[in-house]
Amino acid sequence: MTSVADIRPHVTPMPFSRALEDVEVLEWVTAGTAAAAAQSTPVSGVTVSNRDLAQGWIFVAVPGLTQHGIRFAPAAAGAGAVAVLTDPEGARLSRELQVDLPLAVVADPRAAAPLVAATVYGHPAEHLTTMAVTGTNGKTTTTYLMRAALWAAHPRPAMCNSVELVVGDVHVAAERTTAEAPVIERVLALAQQEGLGAAVVETSAHALSLNRVDGIVFDVAAFTNLQHDHLDYYGDMEHYFEAKRILFTPAHCRQGVVCVDDEWGRRLATEAEVPVVTVSALTDTPADWSVRDVHREGDSARTTFTLVDPDGVGHEVRCPLLGEVNVQNCALAVVSAVRLGLDVDDVIPAVEACEPVPGRMVEVNPVHPGQPLVVVDYAYTPEALEWSLGTARGLVGGRVCVVFGSEGDRDASKREDVGSVAARCADTLWVTDESPRDEDPQAIRDQLLTGIRRVRPGMEHVTEVTTCRRDAVRRAILDAGPEDVVMVTGKGAEPYQIIQGIEHAYNDVPVAREVLAQDPRVHAV
């Protein structure tokens, strides 16, 4: 199976001290080796994970929530690490653990990691055309559309997002929305070496707060929206916004493209510290680029709209993805590419050729005689769920049925709102689990049910499925009629469920296909 271990650019070894030329070293711990020899140790890679390294690499030991990364240094040494970068606490613990490697001490190893990685891998971002996108909803879809736009000028652009890392022929399933800094630098370095010319990086608020894209100045950065999410980490929307705003500073991008369809986008457009152009998909919101005449093309997945440029010229765009919500994402991608200097008449057909985005408004059975239409979507915030269910309402003439849950060990403050949105926007509700992680699944469902009761005190057409998510999908599909749509939301392309720390293989799309294939209604004589 392909993994990040397969992303291996060629690196010319350099002395450990040279790799640290852009960071302040507080102390060298030489483990009995002469200081000069320790500092001249040849290094050829950087990692923050003892499970992803090779011979000759630097292991960056960062403090964690439950234990310090230095505790993994012996395992890293056994896997080939030849040097360690850590903080004073890591240095102290290294003596207890008898870490027998040259060790450099810095104030903040997480902040140092991207700078060291950029040096080791040759500052690849400086030799590529780079795009970034941040926001709450729509980031992943926009990265796919941005990558398609870049095909107008560059062969096979690289991409890092919450679904996959793509560079050349290597496709790796993503472990988080934005990869750790050394992995991003490796992707960019391999893209440069293979002559791919460009790269797109989905950039989360956590990535910005945790320094994962430090040292990269993107040629253009885009903003989708800001909605209720991650308040378990940021505390309130103000701090969440401030994390996003970091991307729109000279240290991180040269120019921005901002959707101003919510109050946070409008605020960002005025507070960004780089030149910004604005985009709006709302008819009553002033913007440099605006969307008009949105309509679906018959029964197809395409949504056609007119994108009006700053000179008032309209450009017809056939968005290749289902749902009006993707019009905003499509417009952002087109305008971002134009801001790079690409011709709008070349960009639009490139975007229109974008392939389906995994787990985003996926029609499992576009042709469905005798069965309901089944759509899988990642929507997991209240706003995203409302958009997705609104799109579903326009797809069929019958009921909108939704299968949904909420993630465990994540922002719990949005769960009641998610339940209320589902009760307001769908006809039939099937409440199930996503990835409960270490939380009690019943407690998560109870919060969703509380939100549902706000709208439906009598709980009409609401079913709680306590067995498993697969059962919820099965029951929802078999209960729905041929004029109905079943929206399966919350997990999208995720290939697993996490229950009590264990990953169980699971994906909504193949499960729905299996149910549809065995549906007794289509096999009846």
Side-chain angles (χ1 to χ4, degrees):
M1 181 179 294
T2 305
S3 72
V4 291
D6 297 296
I7 302 173
R8 289 288 186 265
H10 172 74
V11 175
T12 301
M14 66 178 64
F16 187 23
S17 60
R18 182 183 161 201
L20 306 182
E21 63 185 8
D22 289 331
V23 301
E24 180 182 357
V25 178
L26 304 178
E27 179 188 3
W28 290 92
V29 179
T30 58
T33 306
Q39 294 178 35
S40 63
T41 299
V43 297
S44 55
V46 185
T47 185
V48 297
S49 171
N50 67 295
R51 294 173 291 127
D52 171 36
L53 57 78
Q55 182 63 41
W57 283 22
I58 301 167
F59 175 62
V60 183
V62 301
L65 293 175
T66 58
Q67 60 183 328
H68 200 291
I70 196 67
R71 298 196 179 277
F72 299 98
V82 296
V84 176
L85 180 68
T86 192
D87 60 3
E89 175 64 10
R92 184 187 68 77
L93 292 171
S94 73
R95 288 186 280 271
E96 296 178 12
L97 297 167
Q98 298 182 336
V99 177
D100 191 23
L101 292 174
L103 187 148
V105 182
V106 296
D108 185 348
R110 183 170 287 283
L115 306 181
V116 175
T119 298
V120 169
Y121 295 112
H123 298 279
E126 297 177 2
H127 308 284
L128 296 167
T129 296
T130 53
M131 304 175 80
V133 59
T134 196
T136 303
N137 291 315
K139 298 189 303 298
T140 301
T141 297
T142 303
T143 60
Y144 280 96
L145 291 162
M146 283 178 159
R147 182 172 186 253
L150 285 168
W151 277 73
H154 302 281
R156 300 194 303 165
M159 179 175 66
C160 302
N161 64 26
S162 62
V163 174
E164 59 183 335
L165 312 182
V166 181
V167 54
D169 295 327
V170 179
H171 291 245
V172 178
E175 295 183 354
R176 50 180 54 85
T177 301
T178 308
E180 293 286 1
V183 175
I184 294 175
E185 291 291 345
R186 277 159 48 195
V187 168
L188 298 180
L190 187 57
Q192 178 197 355
Q193 291 174 16
E194 294 197 357
L196 306 185
V200 180
V201 179
E202 180 177 353
T203 308
S204 67
H206 289 86
L208 292 160
S209 297
L210 297 174
N211 310 101
R212 291 180 190 157
V213 293
D214 282 10
I216 301 173
V217 181
F218 294 98
D219 292 306
V220 65
F223 175 84
T224 58
N225 50 65
L226 197 74
Q227 296 166 358
H228 188 161
D229 200 15
H230 303 307
L231 300 192
D232 53 330
Y233 186 89
Y234 288 104
D236 56 41
M237 291 295 290
E238 182 66 26
H239 286 92
Y240 185 28
F241 171 77
E242 287 299 328
K244 297 289 190 184
R245 193 174 69 86
I246 293 171
L247 183 58
F248 297 86
T249 61
H252 290 288
C253 80
R254 294 181 174 85
Q255 58 182 325
V257 178
V258 176
C259 179
V260 291
D261 287 345
D262 66 22
E263 60 178 305
W264 302 102
R266 292 188 288 274
R267 178 174 164 186
L268 179 61
T270 63
E271 295 185 10
E273 298 175 31
V274 296
V276 161
V277 298
T278 57
V279 178
S280 176
L282 302 177
T283 56
D284 58 350
T285 301
D288 298 312
W289 293 72
S290 58
V291 169
R292 298 289 183 269
D293 306 323
V294 180
H295 61 277
R296 188 181 181 195
E297 290 189 6
D299 294 329
S300 75
R302 290 184 178 271
T303 304
T304 297
F305 64 94
T306 300
L307 183 61
V308 182
D309 66 26
D311 294 324
V313 178
H315 307 269
E316 186 179 75
V317 182
R318 300 172 69 237
C319 177
L321 307 176
L322 181 66
E324 290 189 15
V325 62
N326 283 315
V327 168
Q328 177 193 93
N329 303 326
C330 194
L332 273 174
V334 171
V335 176
S336 296
V338 171
R339 295 299 296 171
L340 289 173
L342 279 64
D343 190 286
V344 66
D345 292 329
D346 295 328
V347 169
I348 289 174
V351 168
E352 291 176 342
C354 182
E355 296 180 352
V357 178
R360 272 64 177 176
M361 294 302 292
V362 176
E363 290 184 298
V364 178
N365 57 336
V367 179
H368 51 97
Q371 294 179 308
L373 172 65
V374 180
V375 179
V376 169
D377 190 47
Y378 186 55
Y380 68 97
T381 67
E383 296 88 350
L385 185 61
E386 184 171 8
W387 287 343
S388 294
L389 294 177
T391 294
R393 183 70 65 186
L395 297 177
V396 297
R399 296 178 300 164
V400 173
C401 313
V402 62
V403 179
F404 72 107
S406 189
E407 284 192 303
D409 296 336
R410 297 294 186 268
D411 184 4
S413 66
K414 67 174 181 284
R415 291 175 186 162
E416 292 187 16
D417 289 342
V418 166
S420 295
V421 167
R424 189 175 68 251
C425 298
D427 300 301
T428 303
L429 281 60
W430 300 84
V431 182
T432 184
D433 302 327
E434 288 185 13
S435 283
R437 293 184 171 85
D438 293 320
E439 279 195 70
D440 177 6
Q442 185 63 60
I444 297 173
R445 293 194 301 273
D446 285 346
Q447 288 178 293
L448 294 169
L449 292 168
T450 296
I452 293 169
R453 287 191 184 92
R454 292 179 190 165
V455 179
R456 298 189 195 181
M459 301 296 281
E460 300 87 0
H461 306 296
V462 177
T463 303
E464 179 186 7
V465 182
T466 61
T467 49
C468 64
R469 187 176 178 91
R470 180 184 296 269
D471 192 33
V473 172
R474 178 186 64 81
R475 292 175 64 181
I477 291 174
L478 296 182
D479 179 74
E483 299 301 318
D484 300 337
V485 59
V486 176
M487 293 290 300
V488 185
T489 68
K491 293 194 66 62
E494 289 179 353
Y496 55 78
Q497 277 187 293
I498 304 175
I499 304 172
Q500 292 297 308
I502 299 174
E503 284 193 5
H504 302 264
Y506 177 88
N507 182 273
D508 282 329
V509 172
V511 167
R513 284 180 179 150
E514 177 183 310
V515 173
L516 290 164
Q518 298 179 26
D519 185 346
R521 290 172 296 188
V522 300
H523 299 295
V525 178

